[in-house]
Amino acid sequence: MQDFLREYARNFLNSRLMDERRSLPPALISEFAEAGLLGLQIPRRYGGQELSHADMKRVFTQLGAIDANLAVFCAVHNTLGIPPIRFSATDAVKDEVLPRLAGGQALVTSAISEPGIGSHVRGMATTASRNADGSFTINGAKKWISLGGDARYVNVFAKLRDERGRPQGITGFLVDSRTPGFEIGPEMLTLGLRAVPQYDLGFRNLRVPRSALLGQEGAGLDIAKTAFTSGRVVLAAMTLGAAMRSLELAQRFTNGREIATGSMAENGRIRELLAESGAGVQAAETLLARIAAWQDAGEDVPDAWFFCAKILGCELGWSAIDNALQVLGARGFLDTNTVGQHFRDYRLFRIFEGSTEAITVYLGSVFARKPDEFADLLGPVRPTAPILDLVDQVARISADRPEDPGARHIHAALVGELVCWTLLTVVTGETAHRSAMDAYTASWTEHQLRQRLRNAQLTSHRSLPTLAEFTDHVAGYADVIGDVDQRRWPAEEWRTDPLLR
Ligand SMILES: Cc1cc2nc3c(=O)[nH]c(=O)nc-3n(C[C@H](O)[C@H](O)[C@H](O)COP(=O)(O)OP(=O)(O)OC[C@H]3O[C@@H](n4cnc5c(N)ncnc54)[C@H](O)[C@@H]3O)c2cc1C
């Protein structure tokens, strides 16, 4: 698969054109299906590749290095779309649907986000009601659904009510997009990832049979979790692939570039910038490899590791891309150079499938409530005594939970960040002996954790301006910048003229 992708990138792909046209090449689906890329972890009996987690990570790092559009296209289908069916659909549905998905005859996505909710999944407004004949009727609206207008199947999550209107919990349904009542709304025009379309979707009295149920009634959040768990690692793997590609280009540039101090590659500040970016990428890579190895050994990996992979993989990868862009100087700012496109495309990864803030605060609030459970998180990893001392310090900061709700959010964010850096320090400590770069990465990671610990001790109880004070402050901007809302929206020109409808 890696060979196929490398050859595809060299000889058939034009990322720049794809970005400009906002569309994927027409032959892509059939070629990717033939190469096995549309059934990466589907069992072989359904025509899939049954890849291990470690191999899945390698494929997505490769895809990410080539183009975020290809990578996200494959991720939506393979990690958001397929797992809920693989783990929770009935055998008859699996027999019918999985071979079509693996063969590229149909695509699948998941629809969770709505106009009124994003990170706060429990607040969704889409409803499903159980009918007397056992079928369900779905009503509501979803937003930002990648491939939503193209996928034949959509995993729709809705709040279920029984025949008497009593709430039964969030439930997942596999919806065939050809069902009457399935409405495809406008496509969103995004800053990056422009070749993967995102749509609004609507469900108007959409009726699905009982066999469309994904798992048990009311178990929708657990089903969605199967999608997010693998999705989080995969998003991190893609970002790190792009970061490696960006750093490769930056390093090449510095080798041939002269600056005031002589060779740019020899300049201490530039070497530091690149080495730190490389350390961040290597640390996150080590974390992903550790998680994949555990998963492949059949171990139960605690959720916190997946959150940590998503947060740090996407943050450190994106920061490396940003640094590579800076090192490239004016060339970095050109839209036609790969790094600029990565900069736009991978910015999204800090937002979707759990934004950095939402999941850091969540992670921190879990450990702030149960600081004693923090050490258990390390599982089979055996840290050295100095690192165990850092683990203790993090647990102590977690336990120091403020009373004020606003201060609690800040405390939870600090704790969540500390938990992530602790796990990273622990795994990079394990591999420090492998090479000089591994040793540098381990000491850099530990230094980052120590700095954050110091920062947490200094700032956890700092007071903020009140909401009213800050609102007043922002209202004052109008005196400086005036009313500059543009009344001519570009989309108006793209709507069909009413007289031509
Ligand atoms: C290109 C693209 C593709 C997407 N594809 C899909 C898809 O296929 N299926 C799907 O269901 N969804 C999809 N989404 C939606 C995506 O998952 C959501 O945008 C994401 O969950 C964030 O939700 P939101 O935009 O509503 O932000 P909100 O949840 O409203 O968050 C707004 C801000 O508040 C912060 N925030 C949120 N919660 C907290 C908290 N507890 N503490 C502190 N800060 C917080 C966030 O970090 C963010 O800065 C896609 C989005 C985009 C842009």
PDB file of all heavy atoms in Angstrom, residues 246-257:
ATOM      1  N   SER A 246       7.040  18.286   5.830  1.00  0.00           N
ATOM      2  CA  SER A 246       7.340  19.720   5.916  1.00  0.00           C
ATOM      3  C   SER A 246       8.759  19.932   6.433  1.00  0.00           C
ATOM      4  O   SER A 246       9.504  20.781   5.925  1.00  0.00           O
ATOM      5  CB  SER A 246       6.356  20.423   6.861  1.00  0.00           C
ATOM      6  OG  SER A 246       5.049  20.265   6.393  1.00  0.00           O
ATOM      7  N   LEU A 247       9.135  19.160   7.451  1.00  0.00           N
ATOM      8  CA  LEU A 247      10.489  19.304   8.009  1.00  0.00           C
ATOM      9  C   LEU A 247      11.541  18.855   6.996  1.00  0.00           C
ATOM     10  O   LEU A 247      12.632  19.431   6.922  1.00  0.00           O
ATOM     11  CB  LEU A 247      10.620  18.503   9.308  1.00  0.00           C
ATOM     12  CG  LEU A 247       9.862  19.080  10.514  1.00  0.00           C
ATOM     13  CD1 LEU A 247       9.971  18.153  11.725  1.00  0.00           C
ATOM     14  CD2 LEU A 247      10.393  20.472  10.889  1.00  0.00           C
ATOM     15  N   GLU A 248      11.196  17.832   6.211  1.00  0.00           N
ATOM     16  CA  GLU A 248      12.122  17.374   5.163  1.00  0.00           C
ATOM     17  C   GLU A 248      12.406  18.520   4.181  1.00  0.00           C
ATOM     18  O   GLU A 248      13.559  18.808   3.842  1.00  0.00           O
ATOM     19  CB  GLU A 248      11.474  16.191   4.437  1.00  0.00           C
ATOM     20  CG  GLU A 248      12.279  15.574   3.327  1.00  0.00           C
ATOM     21  CD  GLU A 248      11.475  14.470   2.627  1.00  0.00           C
ATOM     22  OE1 GLU A 248      10.380  14.755   2.088  1.00  0.00           O
ATOM     23  OE2 GLU A 248      11.944  13.330   2.602  1.00  0.00           O
ATOM     24  N   LEU A 249      11.339  19.219   3.779  1.00  0.00           N
ATOM     25  CA  LEU A 249      11.502  20.328   2.829  1.00  0.00           C
ATOM     26  C   LEU A 249      12.283  21.477   3.472  1.00  0.00           C
ATOM     27  O   LEU A 249      13.161  22.086   2.849  1.00  0.00           O
ATOM     28  CB  LEU A 249      10.140  20.814   2.335  1.00  0.00           C
ATOM     29  CG  LEU A 249       9.381  19.794   1.476  1.00  0.00           C
ATOM     30  CD1 LEU A 249       7.956  20.277   1.196  1.00  0.00           C
ATOM     31  CD2 LEU A 249      10.096  19.516   0.173  1.00  0.00           C
ATOM     32  N   ALA A 250      11.980  21.765   4.749  1.00  0.00           N
ATOM     33  CA  ALA A 250      12.668  22.862   5.445  1.00  0.00           C
ATOM     34  C   ALA A 250      14.159  22.544   5.574  1.00  0.00           C
ATOM     35  O   ALA A 250      15.018  23.413   5.363  1.00  0.00           O
ATOM     36  CB  ALA A 250      12.042  23.082   6.815  1.00  0.00           C
ATOM     37  N   GLN A 251      14.472  21.291   5.904  1.00  0.00           N
ATOM     38  CA  GLN A 251      15.865  20.900   6.072  1.00  0.00           C
ATOM     39  C   GLN A 251      16.630  21.029   4.744  1.00  0.00           C
ATOM     40  O   GLN A 251      17.733  21.563   4.696  1.00  0.00           O
ATOM     41  CB  GLN A 251      15.918  19.459   6.613  1.00  0.00           C
ATOM     42  CG  GLN A 251      17.305  18.906   6.832  1.00  0.00           C
ATOM     43  CD  GLN A 251      18.057  19.657   7.938  1.00  0.00           C
ATOM     44  OE1 GLN A 251      17.429  20.294   8.770  1.00  0.00           O
ATOM     45  NE2 GLN A 251      19.365  19.619   7.905  1.00  0.00           N
ATOM     46  N   ARG A 252      15.961  20.568   3.653  1.00  0.00           N
ATOM     47  CA  ARG A 252      16.584  20.700   2.324  1.00  0.00           C
ATOM     48  C   ARG A 252      16.897  22.163   2.021  1.00  0.00           C
ATOM     49  O   ARG A 252      17.960  22.504   1.530  1.00  0.00           O
ATOM     50  CB  ARG A 252      15.592  20.229   1.242  1.00  0.00           C
ATOM     51  CG  ARG A 252      15.725  18.793   0.888  1.00  0.00           C
ATOM     52  CD  ARG A 252      14.776  18.525  -0.273  1.00  0.00           C
ATOM     53  NE  ARG A 252      14.253  17.180  -0.160  1.00  0.00           N
ATOM     54  CZ  ARG A 252      13.199  16.725  -0.813  1.00  0.00           C
ATOM     55  NH1 ARG A 252      12.538  17.504  -1.649  1.00  0.00           N
ATOM     56  NH2 ARG A 252      12.806  15.498  -0.666  1.00  0.00           N
ATOM     57  N   PHE A 253      15.940  23.033   2.346  1.00  0.00           N
ATOM     58  CA  PHE A 253      16.096  24.461   2.053  1.00  0.00           C
ATOM     59  C   PHE A 253      17.282  25.038   2.824  1.00  0.00           C
ATOM     60  O   PHE A 253      18.122  25.748   2.273  1.00  0.00           O
ATOM     61  CB  PHE A 253      14.793  25.188   2.406  1.00  0.00           C
ATOM     62  CG  PHE A 253      14.867  26.680   2.283  1.00  0.00           C
ATOM     63  CD1 PHE A 253      14.960  27.287   1.032  1.00  0.00           C
ATOM     64  CD2 PHE A 253      14.848  27.496   3.412  1.00  0.00           C
ATOM     65  CE1 PHE A 253      15.027  28.671   0.915  1.00  0.00           C
ATOM     66  CE2 PHE A 253      14.925  28.876   3.301  1.00  0.00           C
ATOM     67  CZ  PHE A 253      15.013  29.459   2.048  1.00  0.00           C
ATOM     68  N   THR A 254      17.374  24.711   4.121  1.00  0.00           N
ATOM     69  CA  THR A 254      18.445  25.313   4.929  1.00  0.00           C
ATOM     70  C   THR A 254      19.822  24.882   4.425  1.00  0.00           C
ATOM     71  O   THR A 254      20.783  25.633   4.512  1.00  0.00           O
ATOM     72  CB  THR A 254      18.339  24.941   6.434  1.00  0.00           C
ATOM     73  OG1 THR A 254      18.458  23.528   6.561  1.00  0.00           O
ATOM     74  CG2 THR A 254      17.053  25.403   7.055  1.00  0.00           C
ATOM     75  N   ASN A 255      19.892  23.655   3.872  1.00  0.00           N
ATOM     76  CA  ASN A 255      21.189  23.168   3.379  1.00  0.00           C
ATOM     77  C   ASN A 255      21.727  24.023   2.236  1.00  0.00           C
ATOM     78  O   ASN A 255      22.932  24.176   2.084  1.00  0.00           O
ATOM     79  CB  ASN A 255      21.081  21.709   2.916  1.00  0.00           C
ATOM     80  CG  ASN A 255      21.032  20.774   4.098  1.00  0.00           C
ATOM     81  OD1 ASN A 255      21.521  21.108   5.183  1.00  0.00           O
ATOM     82  ND2 ASN A 255      20.414  19.618   3.930  1.00  0.00           N
ATOM     83  N   GLY A 256      20.810  24.564   1.435  1.00  0.00           N
ATOM     84  CA  GLY A 256      21.279  25.318   0.269  1.00  0.00           C
ATOM     85  C   GLY A 256      21.203  26.827   0.459  1.00  0.00           C
ATOM     86  O   GLY A 256      21.454  27.580  -0.480  1.00  0.00           O
ATOM     87  N   ARG A 257      20.844  27.288   1.639  1.00  0.00           N
ATOM     88  CA  ARG A 257      20.548  28.717   1.808  1.00  0.00           C
ATOM     89  C   ARG A 257      21.630  29.420   2.633  1.00  0.00           C
ATOM     90  O   ARG A 257      22.059  28.911   3.669  1.00  0.00           O
ATOM     91  CB  ARG A 257      19.199  28.840   2.545  1.00  0.00           C
ATOM     92  CG  ARG A 257      18.654  30.235   2.587  1.00  0.00           C
ATOM     93  CD  ARG A 257      18.107  30.646   1.267  1.00  0.00           C
ATOM     94  NE  ARG A 257      17.498  31.953   1.287  1.00  0.00           N
ATOM     95  CZ  ARG A 257      17.216  32.632   0.191  1.00  0.00           C
ATOM     96  NH1 ARG A 257      17.492  32.124  -1.004  1.00  0.00           N
ATOM     97  NH2 ARG A 257      16.656  33.816   0.274  1.00  0.00           N
TER      98      ARG A 257
END
